[in-house]
Amino acid sequence: MLSSIGVAVTSSSSAVTAAVLEPTASVLVASLASVEPIDPLAWLAIAGFFAAIVLQWRGDLTPARYLAAGAWVVFGVFWLTMVPYYYLDAQSPLQTILALAALPLCVYTGYLLYGGRSSLLLLSKAVAIMGLIYLPAETIPIFRQWLIETTAAQAHYGMELLGYSPGINEGVNGYQSRFDFDPDETVTGRTTYIVLACTGIGSMAIFGGLIASVAAPLKRKLSALALAVGVIWFLNLARNVFIALASPYGWFQQEWLVSAMTTYMGAQPDRVSFLVAHNYISQTLSVVALVAITYLVVKILPEVLAPLEEVLYVLTGTEYDLFEALGESEARPDRQTNQ
């Protein structure tokens, strides 16, 4: 799944919460002591994927497939539980559709694994590593705070380069993450604050999982990871600056657009610019960006085409040879025999 992408938006008198998948020894101990639980379904699914990886490594392929199949079903149920939030709170059509589609796709993936498609264990491994990268940021407050406040500071610096300097104060999440625009000097009287989904960690986790899951020389894997993380960071910074300015200054407060969104989508009139900038423009461009970054990563590390072929098979039911199509046949790893 694509990662959730979000910025929270607040008014001058109230807050509308939006949320959204090497320290020293002393800091590590403090971090572990502050771990907060999230949806146990997510933990259960990731744990199941990792257990399946261990079984596969030991040569127990059939039990590995069965366990991974169950983990995929749990993973799908987890995404289904996110639908009410994406639809009612985040008001994001794209994320709502993706969350709804996740359950049947995950169940089908589990069905294929149970039926003998052991090559899907590679995709299961990639998802497990994605979760291992993302979940600590979601569940360990000291990491989450650092990511959010660092992202907010960088976005503020980006706005300063464009001639805006609102300052930063405490957001509803308790972090120094809210851009302190004067409501009397803006069109909507609203401002935004950074949440975890605004940090880009979700997209970074996707590529981190894909890259780490395949067998390839370490130098090429590190190069691909550096490229992916660097591009995601830059584009994420530009996105945060765009949304942070579009919301208070009402870049999309055109009368016809406000009328349509308030009438047919139940949006608050002064929140329209935020919703258009965040839920429509930014999220759509994020999908395009992920495809472009994937292409760049493939040029460095074509081995990631293997789990992507499995994604295409789940989506279409058709076998695709991406290695051949992109002229990377020599990089194709030996396929596991389906049992």
Side-chain angles (χ1 to χ4, degrees):
M1 296 293 296
L2 294 177
S3 62
S4 301
I5 302 173
V7 177
V9 61
T10 65
S11 67
S12 57
S13 60
S14 64
V16 182
T17 303
V20 166
L21 190 178
E22 300 306 330
T24 61
S26 59
V27 173
L28 180 58
V29 171
S31 300
L32 293 176
S34 63
V35 171
E36 296 177 351
I38 62 169
D39 195 317
L41 290 174
W43 281 115
L44 183 61
I46 298 303
F49 288 136
F50 272 110
I53 292 171
V54 172
L55 288 173
Q56 182 188 23
W57 177 72
R58 293 178 54 183
D60 298 324
L61 193 57
T62 299
R65 287 194 290 102
Y66 291 166
L67 183 56
W72 276 104
V73 174
V74 173
F75 197 49
V77 174
F78 162 72
W79 284 110
L80 184 63
T81 65
M82 296 297 295
V83 170
Y85 165 74
Y86 290 139
Y87 181 73
L88 297 174
D89 297 334
Q91 296 182 357
S92 172
L94 176 61
Q95 290 175 306
T96 301
I97 292 171
L98 291 174
L100 282 171
L103 179 60
L105 289 174
C106 288
V107 170
Y108 182 56
T109 303
Y111 168 78
L112 291 173
L113 269 164
Y114 185 83
R117 191 175 178 87
S118 57
S119 55
L120 279 167
L121 287 171
L122 179 60
L123 181 60
S124 304
K125 180 181 179 181
V127 173
I129 299 172
M130 292 176 197
L132 187 63
I133 296 171
Y134 182 81
L135 289 181
E138 175 70 37
T139 59
I140 302 177
I142 193 172
F143 291 168
R144 183 169 65 246
Q145 179 177 357
W146 179 82
L147 280 171
I148 290 174
E149 293 187 347
T150 299
T151 300
Q154 292 172 350
H156 189 271
Y157 179 71
M159 285 187 282
E160 287 183 323
L161 294 178
L162 298 176
Y164 302 90
S165 186
I168 300 176
N169 61 16
E170 185 176 298
V172 173
N173 52 18
Y175 305 139
Q176 293 296 311
S177 61
R178 179 181 180 273
F179 302 118
D180 194 18
F181 286 99
D182 185 342
D184 295 327
E185 297 180 359
T186 59
V187 173
T188 65
R190 305 188 75 92
T191 187
T192 58
Y193 65 96
I194 298 296
V195 296
L196 183 64
C198 309
T199 65
I201 187 63
S203 298
M204 294 177 188
I206 289 175
F207 286 98
L210 285 173
I211 292 168
S213 68
V214 299
L218 180 60
K219 183 178 180 179
R220 284 200 289 114
K221 293 176 76 169
L222 291 177
S223 296
L225 182 63
L227 176 111
V229 170
V231 173
I232 290 170
W233 173 84
F234 176 78
L235 294 178
N236 190 66
L237 174 62
R239 180 185 64 87
N240 285 333
V241 171
F242 167 63
I243 296 171
L245 294 176
S247 180
Y249 289 108
W251 289 357
F252 303 102
Q253 292 297 125
Q254 287 80 11
E255 184 177 346
W256 68 271
L257 191 54
V258 173
S259 176
M261 293 191 65
T262 54
T263 302
Y264 300 107
M265 302 187 63
Q268 296 174 245
D270 58 357
R271 201 166 180 251
V272 168
S273 280
F274 169 78
L275 293 174
V276 172
H278 178 273
N279 290 3
Y280 294 91
I281 296 176
S282 294
Q283 289 186 356
T284 300
L285 291 178
S286 293
V287 174
V288 176
L290 287 177
V291 174
I293 296 169
T294 300
Y295 176 78
L296 295 176
V297 168
V298 166
K299 300 307 291 184
I300 299 174
L301 191 70
E303 287 84 354
V304 299
L305 292 172
L308 295 179
E309 285 181 343
E310 295 304 314
V311 172
L312 286 176
Y313 182 82
V314 171
L315 292 174
T316 67
T318 302
E319 298 282 4
Y320 289 90
D321 191 339
L322 296 180
F323 290 90
E324 179 67 25
L326 297 178
E328 300 287 354
S329 298
E330 294 182 359
R332 172 178 289 282
D334 293 332
R335 284 188 177 275
Q336 297 175 337
T337 302
N338 291 341
Q339 295 184 357

